[in-house]
Amino acid sequence: LFGWCNVAMSNFLAPDGKRYFSYSQIAATVSGSVPEVQAFAPDVFVAIGGGGFIPARMLRTEVQKPILAISLELYDDATKTANSSVICKQWFDEAPGTFGSLVRGRRVLIIDEVDDTRATLQFAVEELKRVNAPAAVGVYVVHNKAKPKTGSLPDDVTYIAGENVEDVWNCYPWDAAAYGQGIAEHEALARSCAEGGADGARKRPREAEPEGSDSAAPAGAGLSL
């Protein structure tokens, strides 16, 4: 169910124990997901801020659908702790002539950068159905962490993961400053993780991989939930 046999395992982590992803890696993963997204045939994208904004924009280049933005908070940036529940900070309206008017009775693809606990995605799907009544809902994430989830998605939701990844801390290039780095330093760490340990990256012990994983399995396999 969680794609254990299709996990693209990273054998190298940065010295801080995290996995860094570059803009080019994200772009390649998003581009590789285009056929699955086109098969879902969305009318509009709903990007979850802030992590879903850049992947949604990358996807729009090839799929060419309008983007709506919502803002949901599970982790408090100020306290660096998880909230007890997802908080809705921003939603869209359905005023005539706006992209929001394209949602009701249409096909909507929710986009985020990572599926960690699935709690945020569950909230987004439930709220979208409750408030805006789309005809069909899909979810696209760049990375799905191969781990048990606390949240869940209904069977009628199409789920697409660009890549199934191991359960380590992911660092994305748009957050480089949050880790006290410039973008050049971040990209160097991403290359180190991808290329096998240059610039001080350390090898992840093979025994730490989930049982039954296959590091040679192709990336980009979607999940149907």
Side-chain angles (χ1 to χ4, degrees):
L1 180 61
F2 299 109
W4 295 109
C5 293
N6 293 312
V7 179
M9 303 302 293
S10 165
N11 292 326
F12 290 89
L13 305 177
D16 59 7
K18 299 179 176 66
R19 172 70 192 270
Y20 288 75
F21 291 94
S22 69
Y23 275 114
S24 62
Q25 289 171 318
I26 301 298
T29 299
V30 170
S31 185
S33 305
V34 166
E36 288 182 272
V37 171
Q38 290 175 328
F40 174 69
D43 295 300
V44 63
F45 297 149
V46 172
I48 299 177
F53 292 161
I54 292 175
R57 180 59 188 86
M58 290 176 170
L59 197 57
R60 188 174 78 89
T61 297
E62 298 188 66
V63 183
Q64 297 187 0
K65 299 298 178 182
I67 301 172
L68 288 164
I70 62 175
S71 182
L72 306 177
E73 182 183 278
L74 180 58
Y75 294 95
D76 189 323
D77 289 338
T79 64
K80 307 297 183 183
T81 58
N83 299 320
S84 58
S85 61
V86 178
I87 300 172
C88 182
K89 296 288 191 175
Q90 173 184 306
W91 204 259
F92 58 87
D93 63 36
E94 299 182 60
T98 68
F99 289 155
S101 66
L102 300 177
V103 173
R104 189 168 299 271
R106 308 291 285 276
R107 301 179 65 83
V108 181
L109 186 69
I110 296 170
I111 300 174
D112 208 357
E113 89 277 38
V114 62
D115 179 1
D116 189 345
T117 67
R118 200 161 288 173
T120 301
L121 294 173
Q122 177 181 338
F123 181 95
V125 169
E126 291 176 349
E127 192 73 356
L128 187 69
K129 287 185 170 187
R130 183 184 70 83
V131 175
N132 306 106
V137 178
V139 166
Y140 174 72
V141 294
V142 180
H143 294 133
N144 170 50
K145 288 190 177 182
K147 59 185 286 188
K149 310 294 186 181
T150 59
S152 61
L153 299 176
D155 291 338
D156 63 351
V157 170
T158 298
Y159 183 94
I160 306 168
E163 186 178 17
N164 298 316
V165 298
E166 58 188 323
D167 184 21
V168 298
W169 190 287
N170 291 349
C171 297
Y172 294 100
W174 45 86
D175 288 328
Y179 298 104
Q181 299 161 353
I183 189 60
E185 182 182 0
H186 177 101
E187 296 285 285
L189 285 167
R191 288 193 300 272
S192 173
C193 291
E195 295 172 0
D199 303 322
R202 63 180 178 82
K203 187 173 178 60
R204 180 179 177 84
R206 295 290 297 181
E207 61 270 22
E209 296 181 2
E211 184 177 353
S213 67
D214 182 1
S215 60
L223 303 179
S224 296
L225 298 185

